[in-house]
C-alpha cells in the first residue's frame, strides 16, 4: 500500500497488547464476579444487583457513542486516540477500586448506592480509556495484514489477562480474607493490585505506541464544538454513514451477540459450581483458567488461519464449534470432566473470531471512507466498545431473568437444596443460550459482504482517489 501502510515493529505490537491485558484485569473481575460479590458477599438482593448491572452497562454503552464521536474530533500532539488514555486512566482505576471497597457496615440501601455509583463512574471512565485504545488499530497502520497482527496480539493480551485473573483472583481473595478477616476486604485488596498493574501497562502503552498522525498538531485541540465542522457533518450524518455500511452493521451484531453469550456463561459459572457441582465457587477458577488458556493457544496462529481460510470461513467454522461444544455440555450437565472439556473447546473456538472481527471492523471503515469520503475511526470502533458494554448488560439481564423465573435461591450455601427448575435454569444460561447465540452468529457471518477481493477493490479505490486529489492540488 502507500506510505500510510506503516511497518509494525515488535515493540509497537507488544505494548499495544498490554492495553487489553490491563483492561481485562479490571473489566473481567467485574464481569465475572460483580454479581456474586453483591449477592453472596454484600448480601444485596439478586434483583437489585442485576438492575445495577443492566442500568450501568446500558449507560456505559450509550456513552461509547459520545466518546467515539469526540475521538474523531480530537486533534492533539499525541494523536487522535492516545490523549484520552492519558487523561482518563487515573479516574478509571480509582472508580474500579471504589466498586470493591464497599463498607460492610452500610445498610442494604447504602451498599446498593455505593456499588451503583461506583459502577456508574467506572462505566464512564472505562469507556474513555478502552474505546480510544481499541480505535488505535486503524490509526497505527492502514495495512490490513498489520491490523490483523495488532488485533491478534491484542487478544493475546486480553486472553492472558483473563487467564491471570482466573488463576489468581479467587485464591488471592481467600488469602486476603485470612489476613484481613473479611472476604469483602479481600475483594478490595485484589482490585487495588489489579488497578496498579493496569495503570502501569497503559502508561507504557502511551509512551511506546504511536499513531500515524502523531506530532501533526502542536497543541491540544478538541474540535467537537467547532461550528464549521459541525455544519460540515453532524453526529447523525456520521452515524447514518455507518448504518448504510452493511459490512459494519453485520460485524456490530456479531460482536454484540458474542458479548451477550460470554456474559451469560461467565456470570453463571460461580452459581453453577455451587448449586450444580455442589463445590465452592473458588474451584470455578480452574475451569475459567484452563478454558481461557485454550483460547490463548490458538491466538499466535490466528493470522495464518485467517490468511488461509479467509474471514467468513474462519468465523462460520468457529461459531459452529462454539454451538456444538455448548450443546454437548447441556446434555451432560453433572459430568465435571465433560463440562470442562466442552468449555475448553468453546473458548478455543472463541479466540479466532475475537481476532478476525476487530480487523474486519477496521476494514469496514475504509468502505465508509471510500463511499462517503469520511473517516470514522472513533465512532466506527464505538461499535466494538458499545458491544462490550451493551452485550454484558443484555446477557446479565437474561441471566438474572432466568434465575428469577426459575427460582434460584442465592442465600443457599454450597450443596444446599435448589429446585429442579432452578438447576435447569443454570443449564440454560451456561450451555443452551450460548449455543443458540453462536448459531445465529454463524448465520450472520455467512452474509458478510466485504470479502478479501472486495476489500482490495476498496483499497484501490482509495488509492486512486488520493492520487486524483494530489494531482488536482498540484495543478
Amino acid at each position: 500500500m502507500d506510505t500510510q501502510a506503516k511497518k509494525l515493529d515488535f515493540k509497537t505490537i507488544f505494548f499495544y497488547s498490554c492495553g487489553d491485558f490491563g483492561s481485562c484485569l479490571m473489566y473481567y473481575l467485574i464481569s465475572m464476579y460483580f454479581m456474586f460479590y453483591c449477592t453472596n458477599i454484600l448480601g444485596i438482593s439478586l434483583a437489585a444487583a442485576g438492575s445495577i448491572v443492566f442500568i450501568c452497562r446500558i449507560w456505559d454503552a450509550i456513552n461509547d457513542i459520545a466518546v467515539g464521536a469526540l475521538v474523531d474530533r480530537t486533534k492533539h500532539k499525541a494523536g487522535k486516540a492516545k490523549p484520552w488514555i492519558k487523561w482518563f486512566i487515573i479516574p478509571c482505576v480509582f472508580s474500579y477500586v471504589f466498586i470493591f471497597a464497599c463498607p460492610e457496615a452500610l445498610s442494604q440501601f447504602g451498599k446498593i448506592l455505593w456499588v451503583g455509583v461506583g459502577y456508574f463512574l467506572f462505566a464512564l471512565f472505562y469507556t474513555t480509556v478502552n474505546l480510544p485504545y481499541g480505535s488505535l488499530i486503524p490509526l497505527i497502520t492502514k495495512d490490513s495484514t498489520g491490523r490483523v497482527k495488532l488485533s491478534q496480539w491484542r487478544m493475546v493480551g486480553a486472553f492472558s489477562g483473563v487467564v491471570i485473573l482466573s488463576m489468581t483472583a479467587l485464591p488471592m481473595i481467600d488469602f486476603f480474607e485470612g489476613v484481613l478477616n473479611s472476604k469483602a476486604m479481600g475483594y478490595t485488596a485484589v482490585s487495588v493490585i489489579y488497578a496498579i498493574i493496569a495503570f502501569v501497562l497503559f502508561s507504557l502503552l502511551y509512551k511506546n505506541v504511536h499513531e500515524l498522525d502523531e506530532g501533526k498538531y502542536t497543541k491540544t485541540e478538541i474540535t467537537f464544538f467547532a461550528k464549521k465542522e459541525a455544519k460540515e457533518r453532524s453526529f447523525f450524518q456520521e452515524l447514518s454513514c455507518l448504518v448504510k455500511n452493511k459490512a459494519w452493521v453485520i460485524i456490530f451484531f456479531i460482536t454484540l451477540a458474542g458479548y451477550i453469550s460470554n456474559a451469560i456463561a461467565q456470570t453463571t459459572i460461580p452459581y453453577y459450581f455451587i448449586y450444580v457441582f455442589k463445590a465452592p465457587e473458588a474451584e470455578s477458577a480452574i475451569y475459567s483458567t484452563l478454558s481461557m488458556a485454550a483460547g490463548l493457544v490458538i491466538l499466535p496462529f490466528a493470522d495464518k488461519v485467517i490468511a488461509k481460510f479467509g474471514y467468513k470461513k474462519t468465523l462460520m467454522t468457529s461459531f459452529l464449534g462454539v454451538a456444538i461444544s455448548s450443546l454437548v455440555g447441556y446434555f451432560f450437565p453433572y459430568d465435571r470432566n465433560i463440562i470442562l472439556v466442552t468449555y475448553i473447546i468453546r473458548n478455543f473456538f472463541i479466540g479466532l473470531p475475537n481476532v478476525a472481527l476487530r480487523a474486519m471492523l477496521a476494514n469496514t471503515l475504509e468502505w465508509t471512507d471510500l463511499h462517503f469520503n469520511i473517516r470514522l475511526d472513533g465512532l466506527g470502533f464505538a461499535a466494538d466498545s458499545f458491544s462490550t458494554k451493551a452485550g454484558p448488560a443484555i446477557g446479565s439481564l437474561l441471566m438474572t431473568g432466568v434465575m428469577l423465573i426459575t427460582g434460584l435461591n442465592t442465600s443457599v450455601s454450597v450443596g444446599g437444596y435448589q429446585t429442579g427448575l432452578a438447576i435447569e435454569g443454570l443449564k440454560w444460561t451456561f450451555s443452551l443460550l450460548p449455543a443458540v447465540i453462536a448459531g445465529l452468529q454463524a448465520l450472520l457471518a455467512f452474509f458478510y459482504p466485504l470479502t478479501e477481493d472486495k476489500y482490495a477493490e476498496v483499497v484501490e479505490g482509495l488509492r486512486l482517489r488520493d492520487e486524483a486529489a494530489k494531482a488536482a492540488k498540484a495543478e
Side-chain angles (χ1 to χ4, degrees):
M1 285 183 64
D2 57 23
T3 57
Q4 294 289 292
K6 178 183 174 183
K7 177 70 174 178
L8 295 176
D9 55 22
F10 176 76
K11 185 176 80 168
T12 298
I13 294 171
F14 174 77
F15 283 107
Y16 182 72
S17 71
C18 288
D20 241 356
F21 188 99
S23 292
C24 287
L25 289 181
M26 295 186 291
Y27 185 79
Y28 277 92
L29 184 68
I30 294 174
S31 179
M32 295 170 69
Y33 299 116
F34 176 80
M35 285 284 291
F36 186 81
Y37 169 73
C38 288
T39 59
N40 289 48
I41 306 301
L42 297 181
I44 296 173
S45 70
L46 182 63
S51 297
I52 290 171
V53 172
F54 180 73
I55 293 171
C56 288
R57 282 181 169 166
I58 290 298
W59 150 245
D60 198 359
I62 292 172
N63 65 52
D64 278 337
I65 308 300
V67 172
L70 282 167
V71 168
D72 284 327
R73 290 162 170 76
T74 300
K75 297 176 182 178
H76 187 275
K77 61 184 179 181
K80 195 175 184 179
K82 276 179 57 180
W84 290 80
I85 296 173
K86 180 180 180 179
W87 296 334
F88 292 104
I89 184 59
I90 291 178
C92 181
V93 296
F94 269 100
S95 59
Y96 167 65
V97 172
F98 184 87
I99 293 173
F100 293 104
C102 182
E104 295 178 88
L106 288 178
S107 64
Q108 177 82 185
F109 176 76
K111 292 175 181 177
I112 293 172
L113 185 63
W114 182 288
V115 296
V117 170
Y119 206 147
F120 185 88
L121 292 174
F122 176 76
L124 172 62
F125 293 127
Y126 182 81
T127 294
T128 56
V129 172
N130 194 258
L131 187 149
Y133 164 70
S135 64
L136 276 171
I137 289 179
L139 298 174
I140 294 172
T141 179
K142 302 301 181 186
D143 178 51
S144 181
T145 303
R147 290 172 176 178
V148 171
K149 186 71 70 174
L150 284 172
S151 180
Q152 172 186 9
W153 287 98
R154 175 186 178 179
M155 295 317 302
V156 169
F159 272 72
S160 298
V162 179
V163 168
I164 295 299
L165 185 144
S166 299
M167 291 175 61
T168 61
L170 293 180
M172 284 200 302
I173 288 169
D174 289 342
F175 170 77
F176 284 111
E177 178 187 8
V179 174
L180 303 172
N181 295 316
S182 167
K183 193 147 194 170
M185 289 296 294
Y187 274 89
T188 307
V190 169
S191 68
V192 169
I193 293 171
Y194 290 156
I196 293 172
I197 295 173
F199 174 77
V200 171
L201 291 176
F202 270 106
S203 299
L204 290 171
L205 180 150
Y206 183 85
K207 182 178 180 181
N208 292 282
V209 175
H210 304 287
E211 297 183 27
L212 291 170
D213 288 340
E214 193 164 332
K216 182 177 179 180
Y217 301 97
T218 58
K219 64 177 182 178
T220 302
E221 181 186 3
I222 302 178
T223 61
F224 182 66
F225 296 105
K227 293 182 180 179
K228 180 180 178 181
E229 188 164 351
K231 289 179 181 178
E232 289 176 353
R233 53 185 175 99
S234 70
F235 164 76
F236 291 104
Q237 287 174 326
E238 293 175 348
L239 188 60
S240 175
C241 291
L242 289 175
V243 172
K244 292 174 183 177
N245 185 338
K246 181 180 177 181
W248 183 87
V249 171
I250 287 176
I251 295 302
F252 169 73
F253 280 110
I254 290 176
T255 305
L256 178 64
Y259 281 105
I260 292 173
S261 177
N262 290 342
I264 292 172
Q266 289 170 355
T267 310
T268 301
I269 288 178
Y271 299 102
Y272 198 92
F273 265 75
I274 292 175
Y275 302 126
V276 178
F277 290 157
K278 301 187 184 301
E281 78 277 5
E283 291 188 20
S284 66
I286 299 173
Y287 280 52
S288 297
T289 301
L290 291 175
S291 63
M292 296 308 295
L296 186 59
V297 167
I298 190 63
L299 289 179
F301 310 100
D303 57 337
K304 296 179 177 59
V305 174
I306 293 170
K308 182 176 178 60
F309 297 103
Y311 288 122
K312 288 181 66 169
K313 288 182 180 179
T314 299
L315 288 184
M316 292 175 64
T317 302
S318 298
F319 291 138
L320 289 174
V322 173
I324 293 170
S325 58
S326 298
L327 276 178
V328 171
Y330 175 76
F331 290 108
F332 298 90
Y334 300 101
D335 192 314
R336 296 179 64 166
N337 292 328
I338 291 179
I339 290 295
L340 174 60
V341 170
T342 56
Y343 200 53
I344 287 174
I345 293 173
R346 180 162 69 184
N347 280 277
F348 176 85
F349 280 112
I350 287 174
L352 289 173
N354 283 333
V355 172
L357 286 170
R358 287 174 173 85
M360 294 165 76
L361 182 60
N363 290 349
T364 66
L365 301 182
E366 313 292 2
W367 188 95
T368 301
D369 189 1
L370 178 65
H371 288 80
F372 299 104
N373 196 28
I374 184 173
R375 290 294 310 181
L376 296 173
D377 300 298
L379 190 59
F381 262 83
D384 180 64
S385 188
F386 178 92
S387 298
T388 67
K389 320 301 175 48
I394 296 169
S396 297
L397 180 67
L398 288 172
M399 185 275 292
T400 303
V402 170
M403 288 184 177
L404 289 172
I405 291 171
T406 57
L408 186 74
N409 184 359
T410 57
S411 65
V412 175
S413 60
V414 177
Y417 173 77
Q418 296 284 356
T419 66
L421 183 59
I423 298 299
E424 185 66 24
L426 291 175
K427 290 167 54 182
W428 294 344
T429 55
F430 188 68
S431 300
L432 187 59
L433 285 177
V436 172
I437 292 172
L440 293 175
Q441 287 176 293
L443 183 62
L444 283 172
F446 176 78
F447 292 103
Y448 179 73
L450 195 59
T451 61
E452 284 75 3
D453 291 340
K454 291 290 184 182
Y455 178 67
E457 293 176 7
V458 169
V459 172
E460 179 64 13
L462 288 172
R463 186 186 67 80
L464 293 174
R465 188 188 70 184
D466 291 344
E467 287 182 354
K470 289 177 182 178
K473 187 176 182 181
E475 292 179 354

